Amino acid sequence: MSSAAKQSHAFDLAQVRKEFPILDQQVHGKPLVFLDSAASSQKPRAVIDAMAEFQRRDYANIHRGVYQLSQRATNAFEAARERVRGFLGAAETREIIFTRGTTEAINLVAATFGRERVGPGDEVLITHMEHHSNIVPWQMLCREKGATLRVVPIDDRGVLDLEALDDLLGARTRILAVTHVSNALGTVNPIAEIVAMAHAKGVPVLVDGAQAAPHMAIDVQELGCDFYAFSSHKVFGPSGVGALYGRAEHLEAMPPYQGGGEMILSVTFDETIYADIPHKFEAGTPDITGVVGLGAALAWVEATGLDAIAEHEHALLAYGTEALSEVAGLRLIGTAPHKAGVLSFVLDSAHAHDIGTILDQEGVAVRTGHHCAQPVMDRFSVPATARASLAAYNDRSDIDALVRALHSVNEMFA
Ligand code: 7TS
């Protein structure tokens, strides 16, 4: 079988596109070309329907009622936790904590694990390509504790300097927080190798998986990391929910993040006994329907096949990289040899915001700005970039539309 035939058997792009009803519309009289999935992905019918059905038939608060509906809702919620476990390759379901998303997951670790571990004179290590979500919580912790935030440099392609990383992992390093995939550059970091380097020096590792989860198969046991965070809304699920994986031995030793209902075994005015993990970290009524939606999204991803998605996106990234090289005055920001589906660029002729506005008139949705990664913009001495980001449902015609629209930007500003 030819590789093309093999791919079409494994991954039916036309069918995938059909499963996303939002894609079938016009904006400004032009067919919608959605190239902003790194900000948030669109939702397949399976997710939209699962959430609607759940609310129509099974909705109730969880972990408390003895009645049918509450039990059904609890079962659906806990089934989603088991699905997240499988998705991440975690050993145990109790290692999965539901959060509001990646941002809250990182804040949770900084405020509990971090606060207990980091003291005056200690160091927290991050990299120059982090999203603000994986910078600011650590900066806040360092301020509070009189600790120092150290930053691993990146080169002109946006590749992490692993030698510098090794040098920066020192006797005072208490945690390393690193992104799996950069949202602004697309760089895929060699997480297993990085974790091995950190662990050799006794440093635990948190991985920000927000941009990896939609694009590649993840196995936290193979990666060896201590924590792994991702957001539902970037992996075809609803916004407002996400998950944190943490090794059971860490989670058990960590103090709770927030206090309230759900996270206790018993409460008196003198003393509270906390619930076991994962519930210890899930105070208050969660986004129940959102979690059910996340479960449906991961089921969709698994049925579609992450390896097939990755292969499709990789081919599309290569096609897009080649096609953009033909646009006059375009410079790609982020040219690492190992990249996920992000095409960040600047044009000589126009500012990123003008590019975004003109592309929108052509029906092409891209994000422009600093992408919540201002240190990356500083590193490349640009105020902002335009970023086209790919998902399973994009095809070559989307790239062609982008390139056509960029030619019209050039003509307009010539
Ligand atoms: N980490 C990375 C690498 C991200 O790309 C994002 C969101 C976050 C963390 C935060 O995720 P949240 O779901 O908690 O908000 N990135 C982007 C983006 O690139 N454009 O909009 C949001």
Side-chain angles (χ1 to χ4, degrees), residues 32-111:
L32 170 65
V33 173
F34 189 76
L35 289 169
D36 193 23
S37 298
S40 201
S41 67
Q42 299 300 347
K43 319 304 169 199
R45 206 170 263 120
V47 170
I48 299 168
D49 291 351
M51 293 174 74
E53 273 300 284
F54 176 73
Q55 299 206 83
R56 256 190 222 115
R57 277 199 333 226
D58 302 323
Y59 182 83
N61 210 331
I62 54 167
H63 297 144
R64 52 195 87 200
V66 294
Y67 54 88
Q68 254 279 327
L69 281 191
S70 178
Q71 284 179 7
R72 265 193 248 151
T74 303
N75 289 346
F77 187 89
E78 291 304 326
R81 194 190 306 276
E82 169 56 22
R83 201 170 272 287
V84 173
R85 184 206 64 73
F87 179 74
L88 294 179
E92 300 181 64
T93 311
R94 67 193 181 114
E95 295 181 312
I96 305 301
I97 298 162
F98 287 117
T99 66
R100 286 194 295 126
T102 306
T103 301
E104 190 180 47
I106 297 170
N107 276 277
L108 186 160
V109 176

Side-chain angles (χ1 to χ4, degrees), residues 187-390:
T187 310
V188 180
N189 286 318
I191 294 297
E193 194 182 334
I194 289 170
V195 170
M197 289 163 78
H199 282 182
K201 296 187 182 172
V203 176
V205 182
L206 172 138
V207 180
D208 172 350
Q211 296 293 346
H215 305 298
M216 60 191 69
I218 295 158
D219 186 321
V220 290
Q221 295 187 79
E222 257 172 40
L223 295 174
C225 56
D226 298 271
F227 300 98
Y228 196 100
F230 76 97
S231 298
S232 155
H233 70 97
K234 293 189 201 287
V235 62
F236 311 111
S239 57
V241 56
L244 171 70
Y245 156 81
R247 277 168 188 261
E249 77 236 42
H250 291 321
L251 296 180
E252 279 177 337
M254 280 153 58
Y257 175 47
Q258 295 179 325
E262 290 274 311
M263 53 77 75
I264 56 93
L265 280 182
S266 72
V267 178
T268 68
F269 288 122
D270 291 329
E271 195 189 14
T272 292
I273 301 180
Y274 304 130
D276 289 336
I277 63 168
H279 306 291
K280 182 170 82 178
F281 295 102
E282 295 180 352
T285 300
D287 184 348
I288 304 166
T289 308
V291 165
V292 169
L294 167 58
L298 299 185
W300 183 86
V301 166
E302 275 161 29
T304 309
L306 260 175
D307 289 340
I309 291 174
E311 195 183 330
H312 164 66
E313 288 179 359
H314 200 76
L316 202 53
L317 180 69
Y319 180 78
T321 305
E322 175 69 29
L324 287 184
S325 74
E326 274 151 37
V327 177
L330 184 146
R331 177 161 68 99
L332 273 182
I333 305 293
T335 50
H338 194 193
K339 269 180 73 172
V342 169
L343 292 158
S344 228
F345 58 89
V346 290
L347 268 188
D348 287 341
S349 68
H351 186 274
H353 292 291
D354 295 326
I355 300 173
T357 308
I358 296 164
L359 293 193
D360 176 54
Q361 289 301 316
E362 302 295 323
V364 179
V366 298
R367 182 165 174 195
T368 57
H370 53 61
H371 316 294
C372 301
Q374 282 182 347
V376 173
M377 301 298 115
D378 293 344
R379 171 66 181 77
F380 288 89
S381 305
V382 294
T385 73
R387 180 190 67 183
S389 54
L390 308 174

Side-chain angles (χ1 to χ4, degrees), residues 96-129:
I96 305 301
I97 298 162
F98 287 117
T99 66
R100 286 194 295 126
T102 306
T103 301
E104 190 180 47
I106 297 170
N107 276 277
L108 186 160
V109 176
T112 58
F113 187 79
R115 220 178 242 150
E116 294 237 306
R117 237 183 128 81
V118 175
D122 286 342
E123 295 175 2
V124 172
L125 190 56
I126 60 170
T127 85
H128 208 126
M129 70 173 86

